[in-house]
Amino acid sequence: MFRTALRTVLAHKARLLMTVLAVMLGVAFVSGTLVFTDTLGNAFNKQSAKSYKDVAVAVSTYESGESGPDGKKPEPGLSPKTLDRIAAIDGVETVTGRVDGFAGVADPDGKLIGNGWSNTGTNFFPSGNGKDAAYDFTDGAGPTEAGQIALDKSTASRGEYKVGDRVRVATSGPVKEYTLSGVFTTEDGAVNAGGSLVLFETAVAQKLYLEPGFFRDATVTAAPGASDKEILGKVEPLLPEDADAQTGAQLADEQAEQIESQLSGINQMLLAFAAIALFVGIFLISNTFTMLVAQRTKELALLRAVGASRRQVKRSVMAEALVVGVVASAIGFVLGIGLAVGLRSAMGSFGAKVPAGPLVISPVAVAAAFGVGVVITLIAAWLPSRRAAKIPPVAAMSSVHAVATMKSLVLRNSIGAVLTLIGAAGIIAGAGVGKDGKLLIGAGAFFALVGIIVLIPLLSRPVIALVQPLLKGLFGVAGKLAGLNSVRNPRRTGATASALAIGLTLVTGLTTVGVTLGQAIDKMTTDNIKADYMVTMASGRGLDESAVTALEKAPGVSAVSPQRASYLLVDDKDTAASGVTPGDITKVLALKTETGSLDTLSGDAIAVDSKTAKSRGWKTGDTVTVEYQDDKKARLKIGATYEQNEFTSPVLISTDLLGPHESRPHTPEVYVAMDGGMTEANEQALVDALGDNPAISVNDRQDIRNMFGGMINTALNIMYGLLAMALIIAVLGVVNTLAMSVFERQQEIGMLRAIGLDRRRVKRMIRLEAVVISVFGAVIGVGLGTFLAWAIGETIRSSIPGYALVLPWERIGIFLVLAGLVGVLAALWPARSAAKLNMLTAIKTE
């Protein structure tokens, strides 16, 4: 029987090709994901281990903001005295102090080199030989004077800078020019992430990023034979309260865990889409084996007649599936390796430098690829094999295919109805619960999708019957025949439509939620921001106070208010606060005052959003105790309450009150209103006022809208790309179904040709049949996807002001048109095959 199965596989290579493609694509996705993440993880772990290879102990400090028992603030970092004490420990060879922060390098055209968030600056810390062990210089040397810097090789190359050139560098303050003293290579994570690294003279870096004389971190190297753990034990007692110490090995392990955690998110997302693709593939595989069984009905009957048992027939079909699964998995695995290599190269093209390392093909990746491919194929082939085994020899010899019994159809439809009702109830219940109903909706979606898939054969007849008059009216006989053929075999039509329905359910659901969120955020932005421009740092960090001062002095500016982020203790409760400019804040943000007046911010008063005021029991006129970050306290009045605004914190306070208590204010953005509104001249005036700083972005209202809505569109485009795999498999399913339909109807097509249906109308009939099946599946998917989008929206409604479900009719229309186009493309080969049938040969076909 195995030899028979193998010969059958070889005899139906064309039919099985589409099954191989479906399995191959899914397996390639799975294996590519696993190989890609394993390779990345291995490369980054090796880089991490290399970075800490010579580190015995690593010391890091953090700002707790808490005073000591004597009321004094702790030191801002590690002092030179602390480093000297560590250096004096037996077994310590060197101690290197580091301090770092943002540093953006401008290219010759004034544009920022790198991606902003990973553009870093740190200090050059030479030892006795004048070298810093962390950096290997390929040209020049490290900076030894205040006016010098060194650049990593990649940044110097992108900026076309050579030793001795003048380089403009932006930190949190104004742009300054430095002389390039050297170019170095490094395995620093910021550079590998597509950013840049600037080395400053130590005193300059300390002044820029912390305080003169202090370091944020330190690394300790051990003398030969010294124990890292013993050194750690001696270092810890010497450290200030706001400091931690670890051995280099512990730090490398910790970083490896972080890398694994970050990659696991990518891994899970990609594997989820691979699972969707494989699930869609089940319908294609099942259809393929159903077709093969139909083609071999007499052959199987003959095997039964000469003594083969039902179990042997079933095993024969399953053996075919096993061969197909193994072959497809092997090809898919090879393609997956190619996909992993491509993804790794693509990261480089987007500016992210992946550390060098070998391609990692783990046993888990191999086992998962072959396990998934073979198991999915066997599961999909099980039902056709069972049907083949149940056909009696005599019945099989006298019929091309067996007709489903009434009992089986009633059972199927009953099960489908129950599953659909359970799923719908779960989705509605989850939507009713609100933000805690996501799990209920997820479970309900699964049952509803399975139920709809089971019911699709039943739904196909009435739904397609609605369009049959239209097909007949527009396309005549070809249209009428296409409508009838679409429901001739409801199970096969349902299986094909199901594949498209799954893909369109996900695409429609994601699109509806995405468009709704985008419009809600866009409305929130336009309703709340009155400013013409929002000024931010490209790094996402805070702006320096000098930038606020420069904006206030810019020509044409009518109002400027920073959004200074801070935390206060208000009546002994931690409260987020925004430091703003009294008077100007109402000109740049649309704040709706409910009680009192925001003009009181110019005195000793604060404003509180009404939700916070209600929860704390405050009202306008109350006096509260405010404790600043420097532990000083003041009694301030509540001068106003205002409607909660997404662009402000719960408490508004004047920068005049807040400023004296913050040594390093954090200002994420500054809002600016201009005389004459948004014009090129006004924008250029702001750019000039900021010193043409490459690290500062001046965003107009449209830029602000794009900033908040762009992330959603990017996420949607990524989802579309990943779901494309499932839709490609669904297209193969349509091709398969039509090929099967043409095979079963050879005699009928021959008769139609004999009585006058020309080749052109035969092709049209097959194409229309494909369009009907494709659009039917798309309509089911659009309906279910919209229902799910509504339910998901109910869970996030409370957290997004102004949320209202938006049906993206234009995109839905595009999806339906694309579904029809899919049908037309999928029908090209089957339609051509049907039209080329020799009518006399076809009529003689049994």
Side-chain angles (χ1 to χ4, degrees), residues 364-386:
V364 173
V366 177
F370 280 87
V372 166
V374 172
V375 169
I376 288 293
T377 310
L378 291 175
I379 289 172
W382 178 78
L383 192 58
S385 71
R386 187 169 174 268

Side-chain angles (χ1 to χ4, degrees), residues 648-664:
T648 63
S649 300
V651 169
L652 297 182
I653 184 170
S654 167
T655 51
D656 293 335
L657 292 175
L658 191 62
H661 304 283
E662 294 187 321
S663 58
R664 284 182 173 269

